[in-house]
Amino acid sequence: MNVDRLPLIARNLVAGAWTEGAEVFEVLDKFRGRPIATGHAASLQQVDAAVQAARASWQRTVLEPFERWRILHRTAELLAQQRRRFASTIVAEAGIAWKDADNEVGRAIETLRVSGEEAKRLCGEMVPVEGAPGHAHRLAFTLRVPRGVVAAITSFNSPLNMVVHKLAPALASGNVVVLKPPQATPLCATMLCELLLQAGLPPSHVQLVHGGGTSVGRHLVQHPGVDFITFTGSTQAGRTIRLNAGLKPVALELGSIAATVVFDDADFARAALRCSQSGFRRAGQACTSTQRLFVQERALDAFVPRLQQAVAALQVGDPADEATDVGPMISEAEAQRAERMVHEAVAQGARLLCGGTRRGALLQPTVLAEVRPGMRVIEEEIFAPVLSVLPFSDFDELVQRVNATPYGLAAGVFTGSLDRAMAAARRLHVGVVHINDASSSRIDLMPFAGVKDSGLGTEGPRYAMREMTEERLVTMNLNSPHPNPQESQK
């Protein structure tokens, strides 16, 4: 990785101008722990200016759907041309292994393209008011109308594609955006805004403000000039946003304690590979990473050794090495937190099958067995490369245990039985059920939403665009019923 190609400064983009902020913060290489760039945290006055400039731009410059498509399509082309530079930046600022970082850039390109296509297809629907007594002379339909200023607040664990999942649908549906990325990973967001401007987006249609969640983020959420909030992060932060947003509509993608299930008739080889990837890729720092792995008791002896082999085959280390599968966590403090939870579980009787050791921010992929209810490794979202194997006997017991958390984002189910698969799909209280795949499977164009404490609203370009627009009903009084076509032919 050529660090000389990384951006050195992450400035704010306010009213079409790149500006320095009120404070400067360091951006660290997450594997080496040394500074690679500086960021400029915006003042609250700069946040105010960003919101005001965004609203003025939205009122002044209305982009037709074809123009939105053109800009997003061109941005995708520019991103493809800089694929390695963006992947290198993801590796450095987020510690994500090269193969996952490169894949993230590819996914972001596709998310831009899909959002652009959806810009040309966004429309309302006919409403059959003629069916109401005495209203055969009326016509009704709905329009999808942009909300206005969208505040987008993102998380560190997907520093490019997550930003694209906020920006692209918002712009595709005719909104303007004020973006606040995390201070830990501000570089890809800055670079993406540069590409949008190069692609021809009106300069004030996107505003970028850096800073902390409790300062810049809170001010943005509370700002009366913001019309819609889209956020990805912890459930605790999501609750705070709900408390501070007032009556603004919100879309919240929040936490999880994701489960994957392996039945005794599953393809064990495939399940072991996918579960090891789901639990440990991105150092387990995804809201859908498998944290609880339920294995049917009759399958334990056949499946667990395969899982251990798959985990042992993972290459752990420098994320810039293209052979690496698992890189560091976002910080040494976070790795220490997860390590403490593992040691606590072992002290309470859990058995360590592999991993459990740490070097700096690098926590070895860890598999635990004999984990009991009440242990924090399965009661709290660990957001780390730690997976617990939990035996179960019958289907009803499984459903009760999978559902016994406040969360409900995604689950994976490995089985050869169609009946079991559909029963699981109907009874597991989550937003997404993947059959014969792990909980972390995701295709960017699909609807993605959690239930319970895992969030509100739906992501995926087409579905996010409906969240980011208002449905407006239009009725027309035609004064007379529709003519009978048979009468007109006589």
Side-chain angles (χ1 to χ4, degrees), residues 89-111:
T89 304
I90 294 171
V91 169
E93 71 171 342
I96 293 171
W98 172 267
K99 59 185 68 175
D100 290 325
D102 182 65
N103 182 58
E104 179 171 342
V105 181
R107 289 178 58 186
I109 293 168
E110 187 63 17
T111 303

Side-chain angles (χ1 to χ4, degrees), residues 249-286:
V250 298
L252 306 174
E253 184 192 338
L254 306 177
S256 179
I257 306 176
T260 294
V261 181
V262 179
F263 283 99
D264 58 0
D265 61 349
D267 180 338
F268 294 151
R270 173 177 171 76
L273 176 63
R274 290 294 296 122
C275 289
S276 67
Q277 294 171 339
S278 179
F280 304 119
R281 284 285 177 85
R282 294 179 179 266
Q285 298 172 122

Side-chain angles (χ1 to χ4, degrees), residues 85-334:
R85 179 170 181 255
F86 271 83
S88 296
T89 304
I90 294 171
V91 169
E93 71 171 342
I96 293 171
W98 172 267
K99 59 185 68 175
D100 290 325
D102 182 65
N103 182 58
E104 179 171 342
V105 181
R107 289 178 58 186
I109 293 168
E110 187 63 17
T111 303
L112 285 162
R113 289 172 176 163
V114 171
S115 299
E117 290 297 328
E118 291 297 337
K120 297 189 290 186
R121 292 193 284 262
L122 181 64
C123 62
E125 61 182 12
M126 297 299 300
V127 180
V129 293
E130 302 99 315
H135 290 274
H137 62 288
R138 302 192 75 176
L139 182 70
F141 55 91
T142 61
L143 301 174
R144 302 304 307 188
V145 181
R147 293 187 183 273
V149 178
V150 172
I153 304 175
T154 59
S155 180
F156 67 83
N157 56 319
S158 182
L160 176 62
N161 196 36
M162 186 184 297
V163 173
V164 174
H165 267 283
K166 309 297 189 188
L167 288 183
L171 296 172
S173 51
N175 296 285
V176 294
V177 185
V178 181
L179 169 66
K180 194 207 83 66
Q183 284 185 278
T185 57
L187 302 180
C188 280
T190 303
M191 294 160 61
L192 179 67
C193 289
E194 291 173 347
L195 294 192
L196 284 165
L197 298 184
Q198 291 177 32
L201 185 72
S204 286
H205 263 44
V206 62
Q207 312 282 324
L208 173 65
V209 289
H210 297 290
T214 58
S215 54
V216 172
R218 184 187 295 269
H219 192 66
L220 187 57
V221 166
Q222 294 176 331
H223 203 289
V226 168
D227 301 297
F228 182 83
I229 300 163
T230 175
F231 168 78
T232 297
S234 71
T235 296
Q236 180 180 354
R239 287 196 180 100
T240 301
I241 287 174
R242 284 293 302 275
L243 290 173
N244 286 277
L247 295 179
K248 298 185 189 76
V250 298
L252 306 174
E253 184 192 338
L254 306 177
S256 179
I257 306 176
T260 294
V261 181
V262 179
F263 283 99
D264 58 0
D265 61 349
D267 180 338
F268 294 151
R270 173 177 171 76
L273 176 63
R274 290 294 296 122
C275 289
S276 67
Q277 294 171 339
S278 179
F280 304 119
R281 284 285 177 85
R282 294 179 179 266
Q285 298 172 122
C287 50
T288 56
S289 293
T290 299
Q291 183 173 338
R292 298 178 297 155
L293 178 54
F294 291 91
V295 182
Q296 197 162 20
E297 288 175 349
R298 294 188 297 271
L300 284 169
D301 291 343
F303 174 75
V304 173
R306 286 181 170 87
L307 175 66
Q308 290 176 286
Q309 291 171 4
V311 175
L314 295 172
Q315 299 295 310
V316 183
D318 187 347
D321 184 340
E322 296 189 20
T324 295
D325 298 302
V326 182
M329 293 181 62
I330 194 64
S331 69
E332 184 171 0
E334 284 298 296

